[in-house]
Amino acid sequence: MTSTLSPFPTPSPLFSPPPRQRPLPLPLPLPLRSIPTTVPTATKTGAIIIGAGLAGLAAATRLNAADTPFILLEASDAVGGRVRTDVVDGFLLDRGFQIFITAYPEAQKLLDYKSLDLQKFYSGARVYFNGQFHTVADPLRHFPDAVQSLSNPIGSVLDKLLIGLTRIRASNRSDDEILRASEKPIIDLLRDTGFSDSMIDRFFRPFFGGIFFDSELKTTSRLFDFIFKCLAMGDNTLPSNGIAAIPNQLASKLPIDSIALNSRVVSISTDDVDSSRHAQIVRLGTGETLESELGIIIAVEQHEAAKLLAEPGREPAKPNPVRARPGRGTACLYFEANRAPVREPVLFLNGSGRGVVNNMFFATNVARTYGPDGRTLVSVSVVGKCEGVSDEELRGRWVGFAQPDQCPPSDLVRDPRVRDGVYVCGDHWSSATFDGALVSGRRAAEALLKDKAVLLGSL
């Protein structure tokens, strides 16, 4: 049949994940099957973490390592936040285009890569331009392919040499140096480096536009350098059991009674215990309240964090420390095909500048476990919110996905303390990456632990 998603290969009929309110979760590790779906009976605890995405799970992991009691509250029916996977007709459908880079430094400390059974992508991409696909390859991993690609129209020979120099420049800087460096929009960095317009439009725009959901490349150059370094030092992968295997692994290591699902927090406030001590109060959608003696870690999405922090409690209202800027969106569509036209686990990019598709890949080429035997799963991503694009043009329903806007000026290493006993973390508080979420969660927990030590020392 003819597809409106051309110029990419034509998939078979579309299928979509189930509605968000009725997800079909992946089978979870045995310890997770007993996660309570209501709030624990205890109404007082050491710390309260709001949100069981990657940041909240990282915060919980750090508190657990320090033997500090906590309750992790999650509004939905499973951990992971935006890092979720649904099972539909035997296929694993990640909620959005998500790739895990093995060189993420915080992830290397927290995760057991072997048990995740990470499946690698080809180190490079195939770019569609002028009616053909052209290879862009990592010369250190696919040297023959890189040599053959020197004469293709995806940039000049100079552009490809500049990629090597950019790789060296990023790899020789520490993560902290990169995240604190002077910044500019990615598009300005690329032009100042000397990349041609053809290289920017045909490769960088679809590739990094797909990573940051930003085809205009206005995202901070700090994130470009950080991701470029991680790409140079690690592999792009998918866990064999779906992207949700990452938060599931973190949750499986926490005390079983420390996580409460279906527990939406509607407000937080501060109560005076005595002249020298305050207690943080969390109110749930059910009307129940929980009291934290050590503090609250807010690990929810940016707009939800802004709502919670808009509650002044008993203090005079102050400027909200979380700016709820509009996020950057994408749409991810899934197709079933009888077979894939290629065998390689490669990412395809649309370098033509035309059409609604930004990138696509055959998920079952990367990880055979993403679909039943003999069936092929195709993942197609559209950057932007698709205003004016009909469902018919997209051939079915699609899954929306977003991440925080991180255009300059950015602050990727900010203090998690926002008021006495209240801490914020998440990819909007650090870098909009898996690693940024994990780092921010650890930092929030460490700030709470440091304040706990000061509190205990004063008693």
Side-chain angles (χ1 to χ4, degrees), residues 135 144-158 160-161:
T135 298
D145 292 350
V147 171
Q148 292 179 17
S149 71
L150 287 175
S151 60
N152 71 30
I154 311 304
S156 65
V157 173
L158 176 59
K160 288 150 189 173
L161 292 175

Side-chain angles (χ1 to χ4, degrees), residues 235 249 277 337 367 381 446:
D235 295 303
Q249 183 184 104
R277 190 163 64 90
S381 293
E446 289 177 346

Side-chain angles (χ1 to χ4, degrees), residues 173 176-184 220-222 225:
R173 302 165 71 195
D176 190 65
E177 181 183 358
I178 288 173
L179 297 179
R180 295 179 185 272
S182 59
E183 63 179 337
K184 61 182 71 172
T220 173
S221 55
R222 293 168 175 168
D225 284 340

Side-chain angles (χ1 to χ4, degrees), residues 72 103 125 233 278 282 397 433 454:
L72 176 56
M233 301 181 70
H278 308 286
V282 165
R397 291 177 297 159
T433 63
V454 171

Side-chain angles (χ1 to χ4, degrees), residues 296-298 305 309 322 416-418 422-426 428-429 440 444:
I296 297 171
I297 296 176
I298 300 175
L309 290 168
V322 176
R417 299 178 183 85
V418 294
V422 180
Y423 312 82
V424 171
C425 59
H428 63 90
W429 206 252
S440 70

Side-chain angles (χ1 to χ4, degrees), residues 118-369:
L118 299 171
Q119 305 297 304
K120 298 178 184 178
F121 279 78
Y122 176 88
S123 296
R126 290 190 181 172
V127 184
Y128 182 85
F129 177 73
N130 199 23
Q132 299 181 53
F133 285 100
H134 306 275
T135 298
V136 176
D138 182 337
L140 297 186
R141 294 181 173 97
H142 307 290
F143 183 73
D145 292 350
V147 171
Q148 292 179 17
S149 71
L150 287 175
S151 60
N152 71 30
I154 311 304
S156 65
V157 173
L158 176 59
D159 285 318
K160 288 150 189 173
L161 292 175
L162 286 174
I163 287 180
L165 293 175
T166 301
R167 176 182 182 141
I168 293 171
R169 176 179 62 83
S171 299
N172 288 337
R173 302 165 71 195
S174 70
D175 296 334
D176 190 65
E177 181 183 358
I178 288 173
L179 297 179
R180 295 179 185 272
S182 59
E183 63 179 337
K184 61 182 71 172
I186 292 173
I187 187 68
D188 292 345
L189 173 67
L190 295 175
R191 287 170 176 162
D192 292 346
T193 301
F195 286 106
S196 68
D197 287 343
S198 65
M199 190 66 181
I200 292 172
D201 292 338
R202 299 170 193 173
F203 175 71
F204 286 112
R205 203 176 293 279
F207 186 73
F208 282 94
I211 292 175
F212 301 124
F213 308 162
D214 173 21
S215 58
E216 296 179 349
L217 300 179
K218 293 182 178 179
T219 299
T220 173
S221 55
R222 293 168 175 168
L223 272 180
F224 173 88
D225 284 340
F226 177 72
I227 291 295
F228 211 96
K229 176 182 178 180
C230 290
L231 290 171
M233 301 181 70
D235 295 303
N236 287 338
T237 68
L238 291 175
S240 62
N241 284 329
I243 205 71
I246 293 171
N248 287 348
Q249 183 184 104
L250 292 172
S252 69
K253 298 177 182 179
L254 299 175
I256 196 63
D257 59 352
S258 66
I259 304 174
L261 304 177
N262 299 313
S263 303
R264 179 174 295 278
V265 174
V266 295
S267 68
I268 63 174
S269 59
T270 302
D271 278 2
D272 295 327
V273 176
D274 53 45
S275 59
S276 62
R277 190 163 64 90
H278 308 286
Q280 302 298 331
I281 306 299
V282 165
R283 183 174 297 277
L284 303 173
T286 59
E288 297 171 273
T289 60
L290 295 173
E291 177 184 331
S292 169
E293 297 178 311
L294 297 178
I296 297 171
I297 296 176
I298 300 175
V300 295
E301 293 189 42
Q302 190 174 31
H303 66 282
E304 293 294 335
K307 288 179 184 178
L308 291 175
L309 290 168
E311 291 288 338
R314 296 178 60 180
E315 301 177 0
K318 298 178 181 179
N320 197 317
V322 176
R323 294 182 298 157
R325 296 198 297 183
R328 294 190 175 275
T330 185
C332 182
L333 302 95
Y334 286 103
F335 296 81
E336 177 185 356
N338 293 329
R339 63 180 180 83
V342 297
R343 293 184 178 181
E344 295 84 0
V346 66
L347 181 67
F348 294 86
L349 303 176
N350 183 0
S352 71
R354 300 190 302 273
V356 298
V357 174
N358 183 77
N359 60 268
M360 67 164 288
F361 69 99
F362 298 94
T364 41
N365 280 11
V366 180
R368 182 58 259 179
T369 47

Side-chain angles (χ1 to χ4, degrees), residues 30-50:
L30 184 59
L32 287 183
R33 289 180 177 162
S34 299
I35 288 181
T37 57
T38 57
V39 180
T41 54
T43 59
K44 184 181 293 187
T45 186
I48 296 175
I49 304 169
I50 305 172

